[in-house]
Amino acid sequence: MTLLAIETSCDETSAAVIRNGSIRSNVISSQIRLHAEYGGVVPELAAREHLRNLMPVARAAMQGARVEPQDLEAVAATRGPGLPSALMIGFKAAQSVAFVLRKPLVGIHHHEAHLYSPWIAADPPGADFGAFAANVALIVSGGHTLLVQVENESKYRLLGTTVDDAAGECFDKIGKLIGLPYPAGPEIDRLAESGNPRAFDFPRPMIHDPNDDFSFSGLKTSVRYFLRDHPALLNLRQPVCDLCASVQAAIVDVLVTKTMRAAARCRVSTVTASGGVTCNRVLRRELASACQRAGIRLRLAEPAFCTDNAAMIGILAERKLLAGMKDFDLDSEVLPGWQLDEAPGATAAAV
Ligand code: KG4
Ligand code: ZN
């Protein structure tokens, strides 16, 4: 099967061509620089950029895969959750292509696709479901922090989410306080490499709570007060590195502790992680050590598939079509607030 997938839920315009489980092309145009001067994603700017970029990106994906429109057997796009106007551009474009080609359109839940991204192998790029096992999945990005129990390939339930800021948002907002450019996550990761993670003791919000929810706004507030009381610290390189390492340690500690506790309670043999924050090297390292100690297998999304991309949308769409999905409503609308437990295949949310 050959299909074209489109992703425009936030600030990445992406198109991919998938053929029989392999990724023939995956073109991503990131808007990060555009939003940097505002310190975060501006929805109207994101929509305008998607409008500008979608055709060149889709054309590049088709050309890169050496595929003609008549070769396509299906079209897939992210239906939600995400920024309403951004979602609409990719989803409506995909609907139009499907309508003209008279092919099925598959509307994909963005987080459901993130659940699949750790099962994409980088070389050769494509689906690698041979080793698939029930797992507890951490999805951690600038917009979301979710823990999900995946019972099998189409059955999962949301265990917990953030009650305020997402982990990536916490990296970005604390980075702004330190004076780092947006998005600050990669920069904090880099500066932390030369810092002491025990230099400053920041809170680990909700780490001992018995539920699987997260909270990161208290950590940001704590750093704000810390910097109010120690303003000169920002003028010196080593203390800034120590600050980055200490903040990063607090965020990673919460993510790893809560993920491992959920994995033990759900008695799964595998933990997975995806989303932009999964690029964080200390998070990758700490999850690896914790899983090794617990005798649990770890499956981390490759950095190229951690951040938003159309390949994961297409891989999941093909999977759904092969499993017999038949709901192809060409009049369907985007679902900006779509909850994971309302996605096709999810079970009830209650834990
Ligand atoms: O998944 P993503 O590209 O976009 C969405 O938010 O949907 O994730 C971007 C987020 C940003 O908050 C960014 O700061 C964070 O991922 N991020 C990182 C790292 N790389 C990206 N955070 C910590 N360490 C990193 N190396
Ligand atoms: Zn995402």
Side-chain angles (χ1 to χ4, degrees), residues 9 110-111 114 141 144 275 306-308 312:
S9 65
H110 182 82
H111 298 147
H114 270 302
S141 71
H144 301 280
C306 280
T307 48
D308 291 346
M312 67 180 186

Side-chain angles (χ1 to χ4, degrees), residues 152-237:
N152 60 42
E153 262 200 57
S154 59
K155 194 170 174 200
Y156 39 77
R157 59 182 181 149
L158 186 61
L159 298 173
T161 184
T162 179
V163 298
D164 42 53
D165 292 350
E169 194 178 359
C170 181
F171 270 108
D172 296 338
K173 287 180 171 172
I174 290 176
K176 196 171 174 188
L177 296 174
I178 301 174
L180 301 175
Y182 170 86
E187 192 61 8
I188 290 181
D189 186 346
R190 195 180 64 79
L191 292 169
E193 215 176 3
S194 317
N196 173 7
R198 281 180 287 278
F200 309 112
D201 189 19
F202 289 115
R204 271 89 168 134
M206 292 179 80
I207 197 167
H208 298 301
D209 285 24
N211 57 46
D212 296 314
D213 287 332
F214 300 89
S215 164
F216 290 104
S217 71
L219 173 57
K220 174 194 64 193
T221 306
S222 159
V223 174
R224 175 176 288 129
Y225 287 142
F226 175 81
L227 287 173
R228 182 196 62 190
D229 298 340
H230 306 85
L233 183 145
L234 291 182
N235 302 326
L236 301 164
R237 183 178 155 82

